[in-house]
């Protein structure tokens, strides 16, 4: 049995976590402020702390050093409903071993607690400067912030993946800005944009006789810092082989040189491609993928970040070249933004806000100020394209609204949510397909991909 201290000023949170952990055999105490938590720490000597960020009086993050001074071997799990990159980085640099976002998933809480109790606490990360660039507090972005904070606390290679325009380079820059290499150079290069005949010289440099006219490459320029390799999935086979050597040996061989040169570079690769599929197709080296994919961050598409749209619009307006001093977005404009699929993700949204800012001529942004949507990609599958993507986005928003409606009423028993959702969604799905097939169960089963007898078993008994 382990002793666990919960510091949270919301009685429902303290009660539900206490019950959850008590059921698993742990001794639990709950405190509602930093002061109460420190007093309990002295008396209770917990093996693990669950610490809220926003507390009455002193905030939880600033108190982590005090808790660690009292119980240095106890891992600290930071809890917050307002996750952002700053919170994630501050938590890691203060010595937090885990970062959990409210509302909690019971399985994730218990898994984190059991994992941390089974091992020694993680070391604190190095101090980091204020964040910037990334915007949003949706669950998808909170997960990204937590991964960035962890990546910044190490020197491992990182692979940032995600669709075009989702902010992969911003994530790479944030990792560098919060790492111990932040005093060194940050060099970003798009491999897809390099001249095929000069790519090796661009990356590794060129040495001429007597070193006269020597040209440093991107790796040499990033020595002591970070090199961001954007669109690494587009690297030619010979470049992939050279990249693998750099990662394995920590040295480069400039064009025209006879001896390799050591370099101290942290590599962050970014791609919109599925590199595992590229390996299977023979277009990407498996050994290079293994070296790049040591630590991964997946940037979500904008369709999964509906809650972030107002904040993104406000952020882009503040920096838009067409924005006037009192310019703002109307609710109707925001609704129009929410209704679009945004296949170009954050990059497309920013461009649209810039156009709308100009079109509004310094006034309030209205739906008619938005530019026309991008055309659906050529060769889109039947039933796909922008319209289907829009429907998917609206379905995601409806699911999030359904979850909020079911969970905002307070503590609920574990294990019911998934079944309740499937029951509600399946009934709507089957009803709509049957309506489209005029009640023909054979045709409906074919559309659904179900056996006819399986479909019949899912229908209400007549």
């Amino acid at each position: 049995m382990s002793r666990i201290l919960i510091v949270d000023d919301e009685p429902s949170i303290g009660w539900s976590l206490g019950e959850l952990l008590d059921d698993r055999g742990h001794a639990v105490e709950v405190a509602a402020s930093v002061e109460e938590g420190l007093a309990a720490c002295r008396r209770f000597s917990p093996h693990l702390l669950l610490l809220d960020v926003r507390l009455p009086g002193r905030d939880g993050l600033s108190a982590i050093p005090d808790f660690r001074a009292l119980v240095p071997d106890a891992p600290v799990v930071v809890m917050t409903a307002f996750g952002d990159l700053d919170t994630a980085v501050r938590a890691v640099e203060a010595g937090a071993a885990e970062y959990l976002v409210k509302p909690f998933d019971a399985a994730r809480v218990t898994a984190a607690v059991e994992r941390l109790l089974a091992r020694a606490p993680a070391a604190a990360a190095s101090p980091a400067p204020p964040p910037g660039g990334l915007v949003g507090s949706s669950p998808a972005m909170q997960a990204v912030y937590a991964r960035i904070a962890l990546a910044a606390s190490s020197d491992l290679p990182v692979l940032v993946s995600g669709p075009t325009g989702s902010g992969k380079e911003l994530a790479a820059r944030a990792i560098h800005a919060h790492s111990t290499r932040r005093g060194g150079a940050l060099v970003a290069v798009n491999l897809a944009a390099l001249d095929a005949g000069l790519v090796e010289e661009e990356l590794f440099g060129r040495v001429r006789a007597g070193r006269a006219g020597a040209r440093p490459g991107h790796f040499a320029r990033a020595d002591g810092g970070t090199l961001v390799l954007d669109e690494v999935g587009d690297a030619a086979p010979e470049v992939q082989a050279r990249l693998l050597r750099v990662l394995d040996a920590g040295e480069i061989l400039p064009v025209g040189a006879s001896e390799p040169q050591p370099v101290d570079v942290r590599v962050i690769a970014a791609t919109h491609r599925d590199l595992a599929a590229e390996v299977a197709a023979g277009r990407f080296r498996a050994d290079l993928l293994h070296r790049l994919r040591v630590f991964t961050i997946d940037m979500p598409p904008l369709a999964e970040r509906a809650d972030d749209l107002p904040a993104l619009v406000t952020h882009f307006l503040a920096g838009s070249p067409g924005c006037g001093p009192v310019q703002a977005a109307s609710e109707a404009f925001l609704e129009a933004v929410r209704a679009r699929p945004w296949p170009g993700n954050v990059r497309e949204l920013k461009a649209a806000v810039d156009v709308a800012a100009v079109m509004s001529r310094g006034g309030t942004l209205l739906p008619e100020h938005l530019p026309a949507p991008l055309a659906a990609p050529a060769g889109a599958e039947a039933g796909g394209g922008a319209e289907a993507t829009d429907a998917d986005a609206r379905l995601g928003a409806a699911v999030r609204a359904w979850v909020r409606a079911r969970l905002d009423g307070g503590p609920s028993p574990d294990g019911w949510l998934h079944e309740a959702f499937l029951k509600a969604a399946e009934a709507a799905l089957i009803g709509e397909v049957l309506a489209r097939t005029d009640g023909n169960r054979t045709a409906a089963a074919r559309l659904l991909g179900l056996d006819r007898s399986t479909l019949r078993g899912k229908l209400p008994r007549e």
Side-chain angles (χ1 to χ4, degrees):
M1 179 182 71
S2 297
R3 297 184 298 275
I4 298 176
L5 175 62
I6 301 168
V7 185
D8 197 302
D9 63 326
E10 295 184 50
S12 61
I13 297 288
W15 176 85
S16 60
L17 285 175
E19 290 293 300
L20 176 68
L21 298 172
D22 181 74
D23 287 345
R24 282 154 179 79
H26 301 296
V28 180
E29 282 207 16
V30 180
S33 68
V34 168
E35 292 73 19
E36 289 182 19
L38 292 172
C41 228
R42 297 184 184 95
R43 179 186 71 255
F44 187 55
S45 190
H47 298 112
L48 181 140
L49 288 88
L50 292 166
L51 179 63
D52 191 25
V53 171
R54 295 199 176 185
L55 293 165
R58 189 178 177 189
D59 74 273
L61 292 182
S62 68
I64 290 179
D66 294 342
F67 283 109
R68 291 180 62 83
L70 291 173
V71 280
D73 294 330
V76 177
V77 178
V78 167
M79 309 180 294
T80 181
F82 306 93
D84 56 20
L85 181 55
D86 179 53
T87 303
V89 170
R90 287 178 61 204
V92 172
E93 72 180 29
E98 190 80 23
Y99 178 84
L100 296 177
V101 177
K102 300 175 182 177
F104 300 119
D105 175 84
R108 186 181 177 195
V109 173
T110 54
V113 166
E114 298 304 331
R115 181 175 66 254
L116 292 172
L117 288 174
R119 65 175 175 83
S126 300
L134 293 169
V135 174
S137 58
S138 64
M141 286 306 294
Q142 290 171 358
V144 168
Y145 297 150
R147 297 289 292 178
I148 288 175
L150 290 171
S153 70
S154 77
D155 212 26
L156 296 174
V158 179
L159 178 62
V160 184
S161 59
T164 299
S166 58
K168 297 185 291 295
E169 186 175 337
L170 285 177
R173 291 181 177 276
I175 293 170
H176 173 78
H178 295 91
S179 73
T180 57
R181 291 178 174 266
R182 59 184 175 271
L186 172 67
V187 179
V189 54
N190 188 320
L191 293 181
L194 293 180
D195 186 319
L198 298 175
V199 63
E200 291 200 27
E201 182 175 335
E202 292 282 347
L203 288 175
F204 309 116
R206 172 178 287 278
V207 174
R208 294 182 173 88
R211 303 191 65 83
R215 179 187 178 189
H218 294 303
F219 271 94
R221 290 171 52 218
D223 194 21
T226 303
L227 179 63
V228 180
L229 298 175
D230 198 9
E231 301 302 350
V232 71
D234 293 315
E238 58 272 19
V239 175
Q240 294 179 33
R242 298 286 296 275
L243 289 175
L244 180 65
R245 175 174 179 173
V246 176
L247 292 171
D248 281 341
E251 58 186 25
I252 59 173
L253 183 66
V255 176
S258 57
E259 295 293 332
Q261 301 175 5
V263 289
D264 175 23
V265 174
R266 191 214 189 143
V267 171
I268 301 177
T271 182
H272 71 282
R273 297 185 183 277
D274 181 346
L275 293 188
E278 295 293 298
V279 169
R283 292 187 291 266
F284 201 82
R285 295 180 62 118
D287 47 4
L288 178 58
L289 176 58
H290 295 154
R291 294 293 282 113
L292 294 173
R293 198 173 57 183
V294 178
F295 192 94
T296 61
I297 297 176
D298 296 320
M299 297 300 294
L302 194 53
E304 296 179 6
R305 301 178 54 192
D307 293 345
D308 292 334
L309 289 173
L312 285 166
V313 169
T314 300
H315 174 71
F316 294 145
L317 271 179
S320 172
C323 183
V326 293
Q327 203 164 13
S330 66
E331 186 56 39
F333 179 87
L334 293 176
E335 285 301 318
V337 167
R338 292 186 184 99
R340 286 205 185 178
W342 303 109
N345 297 293
V346 179
R347 184 181 298 148
E348 182 189 357
L349 175 63
K350 182 184 185 306
V353 171
D354 286 345
V355 171
V358 174
M359 295 296 294
S360 69
R361 304 185 62 164
T364 300
L365 272 62
L366 301 173
E368 55 264 33
H369 296 141
L370 276 173
L374 294 178
E381 296 180 4
E387 184 177 351
T389 305
D390 187 15
D392 289 345
R394 285 185 277 113
L395 174 61
V399 171
R400 288 188 288 273
W402 183 89
V403 171
R404 286 194 296 268
R406 299 301 295 264
L407 295 182
D408 284 351
S412 304
D414 293 338
W416 63 276
L417 190 63
H418 186 256
E419 183 179 354
F421 171 75
L422 289 182
K423 184 177 180 181
E426 190 173 63
L429 174 65
I430 291 175
E432 180 63 21
V433 173
L434 282 171
R436 292 297 184 102
T437 58
D438 295 324
N440 186 320
R441 296 182 180 181
T442 300
R446 189 181 306 116
L447 278 174
L448 290 165
L450 298 175
D451 184 84
R452 190 174 185 277
S453 60
T454 302
L455 174 60
R456 185 170 62 248
K458 294 178 178 294
L459 297 174
R461 294 187 179 180
E462 300 175 350

